[in-house]
Amino acid sequence: MGAYLIRRLLYAIPILIGVNLLTFALFFLVNSPDDMARAHLGNKRVTAEAVEAWKRERGYNRPLLYNAGRDGIERVTDTLFFTKSIRLFVFDFGQADSGRAIADDIRQRAPPSLALAVPTFVIGLLLNVTLALGIVLFRASVLDWLGQIGLVALMSVSSLFYIIAGQYLFGKLMRLAPISGYVDGWEAWRFLVLPIAVGVIAGIGAGVRWYRSLFLEEIGKDYVRTARAKGLGEAQVLVGHVLRNALIPILTGAVVLLPLLFLGSLIMESFFGIPGLGSYTIEGIQAQDFAIVRAMVFLGAVLYILGLLLTDIAYTLVDPRVRL
Amino acid sequence: MSGASAWQLAPLWTDYLLWLLVLAVALTIAYVRRQPHLRAPWRQVGRSGTGMVAALVLMAYVGIGLLDSVHLTSDRGAVVSVLDLCLSDLRDRTETTYSAPLATHSASLESMTDKDGNTVRAAPRLRYGGAHLGAPAQQRNADLRDRALLGIAKAVALWLAIAVVMLIWRRRLGSDGFPMRRVLGTLLVMALMIGVLREWADGYHVFGTDKVGQDVLYLSLKSVRTGLMIGLLTTLVMLPLAMVLGIAAGYFRGWVDDLIQYLYTTLSSIPSVLLIAAAVLMMQVTMSNHPEWFDSLESRADLRLLFLCVILGVTSWTGLCRLLRAETLKLREADYVEAARAAGVGPLRILSRHIAPNVMHIVLIQVTLDFSALVLAEAVLSYVGVGVDPSTPSWGNMINAARLELAREPVVWWSLSAAFAFMFTLVLAANLFADQVREAFDPRRRA
Amino acid sequence: MFPLRSLILCVCVLLAGCGERAWNDPYPGDPRVANTLYTSFRDPPKHLDPARSYAANEWIFISQIYEPPLQYHYLKRPHQLMPALSASMPTVRPLSASGYEVWGDVKPAQTVYEIRIPKGVRYQPHPAFADNGSVDDLLDPARLLAQPDRELIAEDLVYQIKRLAHPALASPIYGLMSEYITGLGAYRDTLEAAWAKQGRAGWLDLRQFPLAGAEVVDRYTLRIHIDGSYPQFIYWLATPFFAPIPWEADRFYARPGMAERNLSLDTHPIGSGPYLLLESDPNRRITLARNPNWHGETYPVAGPPDLLADAGKALPFIDRAVYTLEKESIPYWGKFLQGWYDHSGISSDSFDSAVAIGASGDVQVTEAMQAKGIKLQTETESSIFYLGFNWLDPVVGGDAESARLLRRALAIAVDYEEFIAIFRNGRGIAAQGPLAPGIAGYREGEAGINPMTHEWVDGHPQRRALAEARELLAQAGYADGVDPLTGKPLLLYLDAAASSGPDSKAMLDWWRKQIAKLGLRLVVRDTDYNRFQDKMRKGQAQLFQWGWNADYPDPENFLFLFYGPNGKAAHGGENAANYANPEFDALFERMKDLPNGDDRQAVIDRMVGILREDVPWLFGFHPVEFRLNHAWLYNVKPNLIARNTLKYQRVDAEARAAATGAWNRPVLWPLSGLLIGLLVLVAPGWWALRQRERRVGVEEA
């Protein structure tokens, strides 16, 4: 087990290097440091000298990959690639192009992101599994058919529309919750109710369908027939046997998503004014603050790989045969 | 626009690709017809009522999209599509600014001078919407009713003609479980909608007008092409990548497998929105550095759409690739593949003859599922600011604009609703169709 | 059914816990009645350091916190300077090279501004003034207010002028000021050397390096030396760039670990103004609180009578101001209507609901808004949005007659009145020339119209007919818009820094429609803003859309945008059109040094006349700012030149609490409707299940 995990961890390194190379290539092909400087210096009275000064202070005045003007190891280390990309490996995110320290911003913004993403995820999971069980209970009936159509319909609505409609109905017309905003501490629940509800509803369509097919697959198996033969009621069969056996794929499927919850929800956060990592990323994209986007890409990749790792562990724990 | 001007074909890049895709689909259909084992599942799709209704709706959309993908140019230099020519009334009848669906007056107030020379703030009459009415307040509803009745009459007549043809055809060829009643029912609903819309659109803006007074119905119809392009061209880009790499990884194993696995794990470990955003930003910069690549606004917007599809394709092949690799791993151990290998058949031939046809169902299921996801994704990308060109009509752009419109009072709800309705119908049809395809092709479900 | 019942019970308990407060109150932590101003900001400020900040969204904060020597009178228009920090208006002495005062037409070799500040002015409390102030002293509001302070001295003002040249700060006005303040350019080199020597990090004590142009006379007096003369310099003394900064601030924030926690003058200012920054989270909200050490001031006694209710009373009125980040317009407008923001700028899209133009053309809020007690304030901004022609472009630019006629045709055809009506809902006036209303040299009424594009009809300017534009176009050699060289419509290229904003598509469509009116075709090349700037810098654009926001209310600040030596492509100046006209340049040099009056007006008229004939710009429009205030907010007068307006405003917190309470009762019946709907859905299912269970039971039996 230990050796297996270490091997998986080692495997993550070339992937992170690949991610880094890719983002580096993308970002420095996109925008020359001159562009970044101008973008951040504002509109008025931007002189060439100011651009140079900005680049120097942000460390963008280095060559891309190889610094011929230096000696020894500095030829490689005193370059944009080394200072801006390699340092990410030790989670040294450095400064955003706007001048703020990225690590501090990430620390500040992770809690609101989690406060939104975790409840949405958990409530969504419970609700979807419950609904899926309900629909499976009525399988091959009119209710099942109606439910299917309803789910496909729910799936076919753009997530933007859920947000816009939710905000308009519950925030503006019914005045049940603040339209947007966030505060720290327990009072945050007032601000979170609406986005969580919208997030859960937006996820019902795809989620329930997924769990439904999962349950249907389980129902075809032998043990269900045995259970039925014992004279158990349909509901008991479903909850007692099908659900219990389906828990393994449900949980392993959920585990891979857990780390990504850190990143928050991109559009949900920026619509509801929740100062999390999702809106941070969007702002980074819209302001073309590449230091932020680069850091978030790297963080996202790390979390994704962490998710894969957790899934592996979950599998080995659940199914001893996989243990290597 | 002078009527005498000569029209010439002026295809855009995406036009070529879309028609290429149409050709490919046609060839595939011809091929499938000759393969009994492939025909059977399709026949199952053909027998399902839901599947056929969805297919009908999809065909209507594709028809609009194809009409909009034949671009012509006149000697005046304007590039328009055949759809534009069909809808030239809708296109040219622009008002000044917002007006509600079927309205006769603008939705925004203007200062004007009344009979007595006083300045009052009132909604002005529209230039086109209901302009034929003398006293709109009294006449509009009656006019709408008359037009609707006329439209219904025409629609029913048209539908009867189609129904007769179809029934005759069915009598001659045999039905084979074709859900004739549902198809005809759907056709009737569609004919009625088109008939009434057509009659109304002749004198009104059925879905209102947007901020600069363009007809929302026209914009929604134009957006069909954008939505289809995003869904279809992306597939065109993604398919070869996913198939070649996925099958190669599964079949050859070894370092090929390692390399391809590394490639897709790396790509999929980057959150997709971020990857797309980064690539789109790069594309924008490249395009603004090379203004000589395009001579008109249309070709510029078109190139951006094409690049967006390529980017979406390059970032979304990993899922399918993974599935194909797993399936190929299973297939290469199958008896008939082993036998072929023992008989000394070359790997290329094994791949094309034995493996590729047997993973097609996975490809098909995945592609139909991806289509609707892509159409939905377009809206989100537009919101983030990395979607299609702002000058391209698209549902995403319409929803994006609705952010401001909903803050107005009285609320401008019609653009959002129209975009929502058109998009929802397409995605719903695509999803339902995908369900039927999966039902028919997925071996696990057939069991 | 038991779980459902307990759920309802839970909800009831939760609701009971809410008490009096509205469910949607976005400030659950604050007392319901408090002398606090609630408002919002759209873009997080990047720099609150007065040496770097040069954006309106930053000045709304630092103008309350820092106090420069001068300020503008709150109520008087046209704007008038008056002392803020300084004890009186500075004395200005033009000197000859040998140091004697000169008069009349003699060109001075230098000009000396002497500023005196009163004794006993103190900074806000701040840990920088403590011997070992900690980060917590800064971040904890209660501890911040208990920190020590110190007296403000003339050297602090000099210190800030020195900071303008600091290599790490990259002050946006360094380039401009180094042309005028004696020795500032050389001072930059000195600092650069010292900064490099200490490894470009840490604290550089500027007090060690004397600056010739900024001299401390005594503890409370300083002199600023200007090379030659620069009459507009006095306006700069009213900007935060010249507000005092204590040297302790730089020392404090240079400590290790500060930057990593985003603690710097860019996030936590140290000022001497009426407010201090209590909490700073640019990603969420920024809170200002009354500065206990402020030297004080009284509300002005002259001005429009409806704003004089508090005349002579001690400022400031408001104890705390909470600025909440609000990026999307739907929540922003919704919250304003619910009473959670005390005032609101109006986005164009909410305009119809908010404002009606009365029978006599006066602007007032609609009845629905009046019922809520909402009041409207308007003010024309000292800005202009324009369409520039690149003077270097072979088709549209330059002195050639055909290009001039083409430009004049476009000047008539592009209907900015329509633009204002559609995109700004009338919140703007079509510009007749480069000068904004309220700026010296601006002419009102018939005398002020641009005869090239407008006629005076019935007491209003009216755009000339499109036929005239077509005629001009034909004279230019493009009959019906057809380019004789290609036989096709002439293609024009518009460079716009289009955002991906919701309106940009509509705006680009509108531009195409305008140009198409003449039979021309327009290709819009919208790029992101820095690409656009890059293009402008290289002079590669053809048509471009841009704007200018005045730094100070003087015609020089508009007309220098056409001054040849300011050409952007050649000299990196602000003349983005790269316009060059020797006659204009000569007049500009004269106008610059003249005092306001008839002489100056004559020169300005001539200059504006030249611009109208040459048409280097299509003069677009001057935006008009509309602001809505709730009834409980008093003393509001929009002021777009100066932003230090918070200290004058007053809120009636009782009235606000009553209103927000009444307006925000939750609407619950749709929820019960939803619940009933769900039951209707579930009940038959339940019934069907029972049926099936029974059937299965029967079959198995």
Side-chain angles (χ1 to χ4, degrees), chain A residues 35 38-39 44-45 56 100-101 104 109 137-139 171 174-175 180 184 191 234 275, chain C residues 26 54 200 262 283-284 326 335 338 530-531 534 549 551 574 665 667 685 692-693:
Chain A
D35 294 330
R38 267 191 298 280
K44 285 170 128 186
R45 304 188 196 278
R56 202 170 45 231
R100 291 177 65 85
D104 188 59
R109 280 167 170 270
L137 198 59
F138 301 114
R139 65 184 176 283
M174 286 158 69
R175 304 190 281 265
S180 70
D184 282 321
F191 297 90
E234 189 65 23
Chain C
Y54 203 10
R200 316 196 76 82
N262 282 325
N283 303 318
R284 206 180 294 189
E326 198 70 81
K335 277 179 169 173
Q338 291 174 347
N530 59 40
R531 286 277 140 188
D534 191 34
N549 201 346
D551 296 307
E574 292 295 332
R665 301 223 168 83
V667 183
R692 182 194 284 200
E693 295 261 288

Short mmCIF file of all heavy atoms in Angstrom, two decimals, chain A residues 35 38-39 44-45 56 100-101 104 109 137-139 171 174-175 180 184 191 234 275, chain C residues 26 54 200 262 283-284 326 335 338 530-531 534 549 551 574 665 667 685 692-693:
data_model
loop_
_atom_site.label_atom_id
_atom_site.label_comp_id
_atom_site.label_asym_id
_atom_site.label_seq_id
_atom_site.Cartn_x
_atom_site.Cartn_y
_atom_site.Cartn_z
N ASP A 35 2.63 44.13 -22.39
CA ASP A 35 1.18 44.22 -22.37
C ASP A 35 0.65 44.22 -20.95
O ASP A 35 -0.23 44.98 -20.59
CB ASP A 35 0.57 43.00 -23.10
CG ASP A 35 0.89 43.03 -24.57
OD1 ASP A 35 1.03 44.14 -25.10
OD2 ASP A 35 1.02 41.96 -25.16
N ARG A 38 1.16 47.55 -19.24
CA ARG A 38 0.21 48.59 -19.64
C ARG A 38 -1.17 48.32 -19.08
O ARG A 38 -1.86 49.24 -18.66
CB ARG A 38 0.16 48.69 -21.16
CG ARG A 38 1.12 49.71 -21.70
CD ARG A 38 0.84 49.96 -23.15
NE ARG A 38 1.03 48.75 -23.93
CZ ARG A 38 2.22 48.32 -24.30
NH1 ARG A 38 3.31 48.99 -23.98
NH2 ARG A 38 2.35 47.21 -25.00
N ALA A 39 -1.54 47.05 -19.08
CA ALA A 39 -2.87 46.72 -18.57
C ALA A 39 -3.01 47.14 -17.11
O ALA A 39 -4.08 47.52 -16.67
CB ALA A 39 -3.14 45.23 -18.71
N LYS A 44 -4.02 56.58 -17.87
CA LYS A 44 -3.49 57.90 -18.17
C LYS A 44 -1.99 57.96 -17.98
O LYS A 44 -1.45 57.37 -17.07
CB LYS A 44 -4.14 58.91 -17.23
CG LYS A 44 -5.58 59.21 -17.61
CD LYS A 44 -6.22 60.00 -16.52
CE LYS A 44 -6.87 61.26 -17.05
NZ LYS A 44 -7.36 62.09 -15.95
N ARG A 45 -1.37 58.72 -18.84
CA ARG A 45 0.03 59.09 -18.66
C ARG A 45 0.91 57.87 -18.42
O ARG A 45 1.65 57.78 -17.45
CB ARG A 45 0.19 60.05 -17.49
CG ARG A 45 -0.65 61.29 -17.63
CD ARG A 45 -0.31 62.28 -16.56
NE ARG A 45 -1.33 63.30 -16.43
CZ ARG A 45 -1.41 64.36 -17.22
NH1 ARG A 45 -0.52 64.55 -18.16
NH2 ARG A 45 -2.35 65.25 -17.03
N ARG A 56 10.29 45.75 -14.03
CA ARG A 56 11.40 45.47 -13.14
C ARG A 56 10.89 45.10 -11.76
O ARG A 56 11.33 44.13 -11.15
CB ARG A 56 12.32 46.69 -13.08
CG ARG A 56 13.71 46.35 -12.63
CD ARG A 56 14.64 47.54 -12.83
NE ARG A 56 14.01 48.75 -12.35
CZ ARG A 56 13.92 49.87 -13.07
NH1 ARG A 56 14.43 49.93 -14.28
NH2 ARG A 56 13.34 50.94 -12.57
N ARG A 100 -0.68 42.35 -5.36
CA ARG A 100 -1.04 41.69 -4.12
C ARG A 100 -0.37 40.32 -4.04
O ARG A 100 -0.13 39.68 -5.05
CB ARG A 100 -2.55 41.55 -4.01
CG ARG A 100 -3.26 42.85 -3.82
CD ARG A 100 -4.76 42.67 -3.80
NE ARG A 100 -5.21 41.88 -2.66
CZ ARG A 100 -5.44 42.38 -1.46
NH1 ARG A 100 -5.26 43.67 -1.25
NH2 ARG A 100 -5.87 41.63 -0.47
N ALA A 101 -0.15 39.87 -2.82
CA ALA A 101 0.42 38.54 -2.62
C ALA A 101 -0.67 37.51 -2.85
O ALA A 101 -1.73 37.55 -2.23
CB ALA A 101 0.99 38.41 -1.21
N ASP A 104 -1.69 34.95 0.12
CA ASP A 104 -2.55 35.53 1.15
C ASP A 104 -3.99 35.62 0.66
O ASP A 104 -4.92 35.32 1.39
CB ASP A 104 -2.03 36.92 1.54
CG ASP A 104 -2.77 37.48 2.73
OD1 ASP A 104 -2.73 36.84 3.78
OD2 ASP A 104 -3.41 38.54 2.59
N ARG A 109 -9.56 33.61 0.69
CA ARG A 109 -10.73 33.32 -0.12
C ARG A 109 -11.15 31.86 -0.07
O ARG A 109 -12.27 31.54 -0.50
CB ARG A 109 -10.43 33.71 -1.56
CG ARG A 109 -10.56 35.20 -1.82
CD ARG A 109 -9.96 35.55 -3.16
NE ARG A 109 -10.25 36.90 -3.59
CZ ARG A 109 -11.30 37.24 -4.30
NH1 ARG A 109 -12.19 36.34 -4.62
NH2 ARG A 109 -11.48 38.49 -4.67
N LEU A 137 -37.80 3.50 -7.49
CA LEU A 137 -38.91 2.83 -6.82
C LEU A 137 -40.11 2.70 -7.76
O LEU A 137 -40.82 1.70 -7.76
CB LEU A 137 -39.30 3.65 -5.58
CG LEU A 137 -40.12 2.98 -4.50
CD1 LEU A 137 -39.37 1.78 -3.97
CD2 LEU A 137 -40.35 3.97 -3.37
N PHE A 138 -40.31 3.74 -8.56
CA PHE A 138 -41.46 3.73 -9.48
C PHE A 138 -41.04 3.37 -10.89
O PHE A 138 -41.63 3.83 -11.84
CB PHE A 138 -42.12 5.11 -9.51
CG PHE A 138 -42.60 5.55 -8.17
CD1 PHE A 138 -42.02 6.63 -7.54
CD2 PHE A 138 -43.62 4.86 -7.53
CE1 PHE A 138 -42.47 7.03 -6.29
CE2 PHE A 138 -44.06 5.27 -6.30
CZ PHE A 138 -43.49 6.34 -5.67
N ARG A 139 -39.96 2.63 -11.03
CA ARG A 139 -39.43 2.39 -12.37
C ARG A 139 -40.48 1.70 -13.25
O ARG A 139 -41.34 0.97 -12.75
CB ARG A 139 -38.16 1.57 -12.32
CG ARG A 139 -38.34 0.17 -11.81
CD ARG A 139 -37.00 -0.53 -11.71
NE ARG A 139 -37.20 -1.84 -11.12
CZ ARG A 139 -37.39 -2.02 -9.83
NH1 ARG A 139 -37.37 -1.01 -9.00
NH2 ARG A 139 -37.60 -3.23 -9.36
N GLY A 171 -34.52 36.63 -4.45
CA GLY A 171 -33.85 37.80 -3.88
C GLY A 171 -34.66 39.07 -4.07
O GLY A 171 -34.92 39.80 -3.13
N MET A 174 -39.22 38.05 -3.85
CA MET A 174 -39.73 37.51 -2.60
C MET A 174 -38.96 38.00 -1.38
O MET A 174 -39.43 37.84 -0.26
CB MET A 174 -39.74 35.98 -2.67
CG MET A 174 -40.85 35.45 -3.56
SD MET A 174 -40.54 33.79 -4.15
CE MET A 174 -40.70 32.89 -2.63
N ARG A 175 -37.78 38.57 -1.61
CA ARG A 175 -36.99 39.17 -0.52
C ARG A 175 -36.71 38.19 0.61
O ARG A 175 -36.80 38.53 1.78
CB ARG A 175 -37.71 40.40 0.03
CG ARG A 175 -38.03 41.43 -1.04
CD ARG A 175 -38.50 42.71 -0.43
NE ARG A 175 -39.90 42.64 -0.03
CZ ARG A 175 -40.91 43.05 -0.79
NH1 ARG A 175 -40.68 43.57 -1.96
NH2 ARG A 175 -42.14 42.97 -0.35
N SER A 180 -27.05 39.51 -2.78
CA SER A 180 -25.65 39.11 -2.95
C SER A 180 -24.88 39.58 -1.73
O SER A 180 -25.39 40.33 -0.91
CB SER A 180 -25.06 39.72 -4.21
OG SER A 180 -24.93 41.11 -4.02
N ASP A 184 -18.32 37.12 7.24
CA ASP A 184 -17.68 36.00 7.91
C ASP A 184 -18.55 35.52 9.07
O ASP A 184 -19.44 36.23 9.53
CB ASP A 184 -16.31 36.43 8.45
CG ASP A 184 -15.30 36.47 7.33
OD1 ASP A 184 -15.37 35.58 6.47
OD2 ASP A 184 -14.48 37.39 7.31
N PHE A 191 -26.46 34.56 3.53
CA PHE A 191 -26.01 34.83 2.18
C PHE A 191 -25.86 33.54 1.37
O PHE A 191 -25.87 33.58 0.16
CB PHE A 191 -24.66 35.56 2.21
CG PHE A 191 -24.73 36.90 2.86
CD1 PHE A 191 -24.53 37.05 4.22
CD2 PHE A 191 -25.00 38.03 2.11
CE1 PHE A 191 -24.61 38.28 4.82
CE2 PHE A 191 -25.08 39.27 2.69
CZ PHE A 191 -24.88 39.40 4.06
N GLU A 234 -40.38 -3.59 -1.51
CA GLU A 234 -39.54 -2.94 -2.51
C GLU A 234 -38.67 -1.84 -1.89
O GLU A 234 -37.48 -1.74 -2.15
CB GLU A 234 -40.44 -2.36 -3.61
CG GLU A 234 -39.72 -1.84 -4.82
CD GLU A 234 -39.00 -2.94 -5.59
OE1 GLU A 234 -39.38 -4.11 -5.47
OE2 GLU A 234 -38.03 -2.61 -6.29
N PRO A 275 -16.86 36.20 -1.99
CA PRO A 275 -15.44 36.44 -2.27
C PRO A 275 -14.61 35.17 -2.14
O PRO A 275 -13.74 35.07 -1.30
CB PRO A 275 -15.05 37.47 -1.21
CG PRO A 275 -15.96 37.19 -0.07
CD PRO A 275 -17.25 36.68 -0.66
N PRO C 26 -28.30 42.70 4.28
CA PRO C 26 -26.94 42.26 3.98
C PRO C 26 -25.91 42.69 5.03
O PRO C 26 -24.73 42.42 4.84
CB PRO C 26 -26.66 42.89 2.62
CG PRO C 26 -27.58 44.04 2.53
CD PRO C 26 -28.73 43.79 3.43
N TYR C 54 -4.36 56.49 -9.35
CA TYR C 54 -4.74 57.45 -10.38
C TYR C 54 -6.03 56.98 -11.02
O TYR C 54 -6.20 57.05 -12.22
CB TYR C 54 -3.63 57.55 -11.42
CG TYR C 54 -3.61 58.84 -12.21
CD1 TYR C 54 -4.41 59.92 -11.87
CD2 TYR C 54 -2.77 58.98 -13.31
CE1 TYR C 54 -4.36 61.10 -12.59
CE2 TYR C 54 -2.72 60.16 -14.04
CZ TYR C 54 -3.53 61.20 -13.67
OH TYR C 54 -3.49 62.37 -14.40
N ARG C 200 17.13 46.64 -4.13
CA ARG C 200 15.76 46.89 -4.59
C ARG C 200 14.73 46.33 -3.61
O ARG C 200 13.71 45.79 -4.02
CB ARG C 200 15.51 46.28 -5.97
CG ARG C 200 16.60 46.51 -7.00
CD ARG C 200 16.11 46.23 -8.39
NE ARG C 200 15.26 47.31 -8.85
CZ ARG C 200 15.72 48.44 -9.36
NH1 ARG C 200 17.00 48.64 -9.49
NH2 ARG C 200 14.91 49.38 -9.75
N ASN C 262 -0.19 41.17 2.30
CA ASN C 262 -0.89 42.24 1.59
C ASN C 262 -1.10 43.47 2.48
O ASN C 262 -2.15 44.10 2.45
CB ASN C 262 -2.24 41.76 1.05
CG ASN C 262 -2.06 40.95 -0.20
OD1 ASN C 262 -1.16 41.24 -1.01
ND2 ASN C 262 -2.87 39.94 -0.37
N ASN C 283 -11.48 42.73 -1.65
CA ASN C 283 -12.26 41.71 -2.32
C ASN C 283 -13.66 41.61 -1.76
O ASN C 283 -14.45 40.80 -2.22
CB ASN C 283 -11.60 40.35 -2.14
CG ASN C 283 -10.19 40.37 -2.65
OD1 ASN C 283 -9.92 40.94 -3.70
ND2 ASN C 283 -9.28 39.78 -1.89
N ARG C 284 -13.96 42.39 -0.76
CA ARG C 284 -15.23 42.20 -0.08
C ARG C 284 -15.82 43.52 0.36
O ARG C 284 -16.76 44.01 -0.22
CB ARG C 284 -14.99 41.34 1.15
CG ARG C 284 -16.15 40.57 1.59
CD ARG C 284 -15.82 39.75 2.80
NE ARG C 284 -14.84 38.71 2.54
CZ ARG C 284 -14.54 37.76 3.42
NH1 ARG C 284 -15.14 37.77 4.58
NH2 ARG C 284 -13.65 36.86 3.15
N GLU C 326 -19.58 45.23 -5.28
CA GLU C 326 -20.77 44.79 -6.01
C GLU C 326 -20.45 44.85 -7.50
O GLU C 326 -20.41 45.91 -8.09
CB GLU C 326 -21.92 45.73 -5.67
CG GLU C 326 -23.29 45.20 -5.98
CD GLU C 326 -23.70 44.06 -5.06
OE1 GLU C 326 -24.15 44.33 -3.93
OE2 GLU C 326 -23.56 42.91 -5.48
N LYS C 335 -30.47 45.90 -4.64
CA LYS C 335 -30.19 46.28 -3.26
C LYS C 335 -30.45 47.76 -3.02
O LYS C 335 -30.87 48.15 -1.94
CB LYS C 335 -28.75 45.94 -2.91
CG LYS C 335 -28.52 44.50 -2.52
CD LYS C 335 -27.06 44.37 -2.23
CE LYS C 335 -26.66 43.09 -1.59
NZ LYS C 335 -25.19 43.02 -1.51
N GLN C 338 -34.07 48.18 -2.51
CA GLN C 338 -34.50 47.65 -1.21
C GLN C 338 -34.00 48.52 -0.06
O GLN C 338 -34.31 48.26 1.09
CB GLN C 338 -34.00 46.22 -1.05
CG GLN C 338 -34.69 45.23 -1.99
CD GLN C 338 -34.10 43.84 -1.93
OE1 GLN C 338 -33.02 43.64 -1.38
NE2 GLN C 338 -34.79 42.88 -2.51
N ASN C 530 -5.11 46.59 -23.28
CA ASN C 530 -3.68 46.86 -23.40
C ASN C 530 -3.19 46.72 -24.84
O ASN C 530 -2.27 47.41 -25.25
CB ASN C 530 -2.86 46.04 -22.41
CG ASN C 530 -3.06 44.57 -22.58
OD1 ASN C 530 -3.13 44.10 -23.71
ND2 ASN C 530 -3.16 43.84 -21.49
N ARG C 531 -3.82 45.83 -25.62
CA ARG C 531 -3.51 45.78 -27.05
C ARG C 531 -3.85 47.12 -27.69
O ARG C 531 -3.13 47.64 -28.53
CB ARG C 531 -4.34 44.70 -27.74
CG ARG C 531 -3.88 43.33 -27.45
CD ARG C 531 -2.73 42.95 -28.35
NE ARG C 531 -1.79 42.21 -27.56
CZ ARG C 531 -0.60 41.85 -27.98
NH1 ARG C 531 -0.18 42.18 -29.19
NH2 ARG C 531 0.21 41.19 -27.20
N ASP C 534 -1.36 49.63 -26.91
CA ASP C 534 -0.14 49.37 -27.66
C ASP C 534 -0.28 49.91 -29.08
O ASP C 534 0.62 50.56 -29.61
CB ASP C 534 0.10 47.86 -27.68
CG ASP C 534 1.48 47.51 -28.20
OD1 ASP C 534 2.40 48.30 -27.93
OD2 ASP C 534 1.61 46.49 -28.87
N ASN C 549 -10.70 62.17 -19.19
CA ASN C 549 -11.31 62.62 -17.95
C ASN C 549 -10.39 63.68 -17.38
O ASN C 549 -9.21 63.40 -17.16
CB ASN C 549 -11.37 61.40 -17.03
CG ASN C 549 -12.39 61.59 -15.96
OD1 ASN C 549 -12.86 62.70 -15.73
ND2 ASN C 549 -12.72 60.51 -15.28
N ASP C 551 -8.13 66.12 -15.32
CA ASP C 551 -7.47 66.07 -14.01
C ASP C 551 -7.84 67.29 -13.18
O ASP C 551 -7.86 67.24 -11.96
CB ASP C 551 -5.95 66.07 -14.19
CG ASP C 551 -5.48 64.83 -14.91
OD1 ASP C 551 -5.84 63.75 -14.46
OD2 ASP C 551 -4.76 64.96 -15.91
N GLU C 574 -0.09 62.47 -24.70
CA GLU C 574 -1.49 62.09 -24.62
C GLU C 574 -2.27 62.47 -25.87
O GLU C 574 -3.48 62.30 -25.92
CB GLU C 574 -2.14 62.73 -23.38
CG GLU C 574 -1.63 62.18 -22.07
CD GLU C 574 -1.98 60.71 -21.86
OE1 GLU C 574 -3.00 60.26 -22.40
OE2 GLU C 574 -1.21 60.03 -21.17
N ARG C 665 -40.33 43.23 3.82
CA ARG C 665 -41.06 42.11 4.40
C ARG C 665 -41.02 40.96 3.40
O ARG C 665 -41.33 41.15 2.23
CB ARG C 665 -42.52 42.51 4.66
CG ARG C 665 -42.61 43.69 5.60
CD ARG C 665 -43.69 43.54 6.64
NE ARG C 665 -43.51 44.58 7.65
CZ ARG C 665 -43.97 45.83 7.51
NH1 ARG C 665 -44.65 46.15 6.43
NH2 ARG C 665 -43.74 46.74 8.43
N VAL C 667 -41.92 37.83 1.14
CA VAL C 667 -43.15 37.34 0.50
C VAL C 667 -43.13 35.82 0.61
O VAL C 667 -42.26 35.18 0.04
CB VAL C 667 -43.18 37.76 -0.97
CG1 VAL C 667 -44.48 37.31 -1.61
CG2 VAL C 667 -43.02 39.26 -1.09
N GLY C 685 -47.79 9.47 -6.35
CA GLY C 685 -46.68 8.52 -6.36
C GLY C 685 -46.80 7.58 -5.18
O GLY C 685 -46.67 6.36 -5.31
N ARG C 692 -48.73 -0.81 -5.83
CA ARG C 692 -47.83 -1.81 -6.39
C ARG C 692 -47.40 -2.81 -5.30
O ARG C 692 -47.37 -4.01 -5.51
CB ARG C 692 -46.61 -1.10 -6.97
CG ARG C 692 -45.67 -2.11 -7.61
CD ARG C 692 -44.35 -1.51 -7.89
NE ARG C 692 -44.43 -0.65 -9.07
CZ ARG C 692 -43.35 -0.32 -9.75
NH1 ARG C 692 -42.17 -0.73 -9.38
NH2 ARG C 692 -43.45 0.46 -10.78
N GLU C 693 -47.08 -2.27 -4.12
CA GLU C 693 -46.67 -3.14 -3.02
C GLU C 693 -47.73 -4.22 -2.79
O GLU C 693 -47.42 -5.39 -2.66
CB GLU C 693 -46.49 -2.32 -1.74
CG GLU C 693 -45.38 -1.31 -1.83
CD GLU C 693 -44.13 -1.83 -1.17
OE1 GLU C 693 -44.10 -1.90 0.06
OE2 GLU C 693 -43.17 -2.15 -1.89
#
